[in-house]
Amino acid sequence: DAKTTQPNSMESNEEEPVHLPCNHSTISGTDYIHWYRQLPSQGPEYVIHGLTSNVNNRMASLAIAEDRKSSTLILHRATLRDAAVYYCILHYNNAGNMLTFGGGTRLMVKP
Amino acid sequence: DAGVTQSPTHLIKTRGQHVTLRCSPISGHKSVSWYQQVLGQGPQFIFQYYEKEERGRGNFPDRFSARQFPNYSSELNVNALLLGDSALYLCASSLLRTTYEQYFGPGTRLTVT
């Protein structure tokens, strides 16, 4: 399976944008890039996904490099509620729903 | 609408015992997946069931088994518990066998002593 590399932790100030990086240099052409987050004492929560083009939804934006070897999750205005572990996951569409989680990035948001 | 529910919330078992964990998916969802999350690590995939058939299995020993019922709820069974089985067990449901969005429950915290 293609692997992802994320920083262990990041800090942000409340109401400022946050850019969470993810490297996936061995990504294959059929791998989708998924982001999930896990708030304290909760199960993971879907954030966003993409294949080649940048994506926006109500929670975040996903910027995908042209060569697809890296991506960035963008939270436009961090709130205290965004403090969580963010997981970048590569998912082959024919692999059922199996998600391979790595260690993720722990995002801390300071008031 | 109710989200994914799991029971029990917490459980304490002794080494060698067996345990059954239960999951009720979101209404209409036909796929249930199970994950194990050891403290400080990301979740690890155990099983996926879709339309009552096993559709995927992770790298876990045969002590782990699961099934899905006609109402799409699911049970995860673990036999001969080891201390290393202590973890948060998460259930995720989705409408389809392969989808970009899965909905996770709050998990069952299993402690093996």
Side-chain angles (χ1 to χ4, degrees), chain A residues 6-107:
Chain A
Q6 301 178 252
N8 289 335
S9 64
M10 290 184 63
E11 257 187 19
S12 171
N13 294 317
E14 197 176 11
E15 299 192 4
E16 289 186 355
V18 182
H19 290 233
L20 296 162
C22 180
N23 287 320
H24 29 78
S25 58
T26 59
I27 190 171
S28 73
T30 52
D31 284 336
Y32 282 75
I33 302 160
H34 291 234
W35 284 81
Y36 277 73
R37 71 179 185 181
Q38 189 170 18
L39 279 63
S41 302
Q42 294 188 26
E45 171 187 36
Y46 167 81
V47 177
I48 200 167
H49 79 288
L51 184 61
T52 56
S53 305
N54 295 343
V55 184
N56 300 296
N57 66 19
R58 63 176 179 79
M59 288 182 70
S61 296
L62 176 59
I64 302 172
E66 200 167 326
D67 63 6
R68 299 207 331 123
K69 294 186 177 182
S70 66
S71 61
T72 303
L73 180 71
I74 302 165
L75 307 179
H76 296 285
R77 287 179 71 241
T79 68
L80 296 178
R81 195 194 171 276
D82 291 323
V85 178
Y86 286 78
Y87 296 99
C88 170
I89 301 164
L90 301 183
H91 182 239
Y92 173 52
N93 217 33
N94 282 343
N97 282 341
M98 181 181 79
L99 296 175
T100 302
F101 289 80
T105 296
R106 180 172 299 280
L107 175 66

Side-chain angles (χ1 to χ4, degrees), chain B:
Chain B
D1 283 345
V4 177
T5 58
Q6 293 186 245
S7 62
T9 305
H10 296 90
L11 201 52
I12 299 174
K13 289 287 190 178
T14 304
R15 274 176 299 177
Q17 287 187 318
H18 73 272
V19 68
T20 298
L21 310 180
R22 294 177 176 83
C23 171
S24 292
I26 291 172
S27 178
H29 284 195
K30 299 180 179 180
S31 172
V32 169
S33 297
W34 288 94
Y35 290 79
Q36 179 197 65
Q37 186 172 25
V38 173
L39 200 61
Q41 297 181 18
Q44 300 298 306
F45 174 80
I46 309 175
F47 289 111
Q48 180 190 3
Y49 276 76
Y50 177 72
E51 289 282 22
K52 301 178 284 293
E53 290 189 15
E54 183 183 303
R55 301 290 185 163
R57 172 185 284 255
N59 189 23
F60 280 81
D62 292 343
R63 299 185 294 109
F64 289 76
S65 63
R67 55 180 176 167
Q68 187 176 34
F69 298 99
N71 67 354
Y72 302 109
S73 67
S74 178
E75 282 181 355
L76 175 70
N77 295 285
V78 187
N79 292 326
L81 286 167
L82 303 174
L83 294 180
D85 295 330
S86 296
L88 180 69
Y89 288 84
L90 295 158
C91 170
S93 81
S94 65
L95 194 58
L96 304 173
R97 179 181 173 228
T98 298
T99 181
Y100 61 85
E101 186 170 4
Q102 298 182 57
Y103 297 83
F104 283 81
T108 293
R109 172 72 61 189
L110 173 64
T111 302
V112 182
T113 62

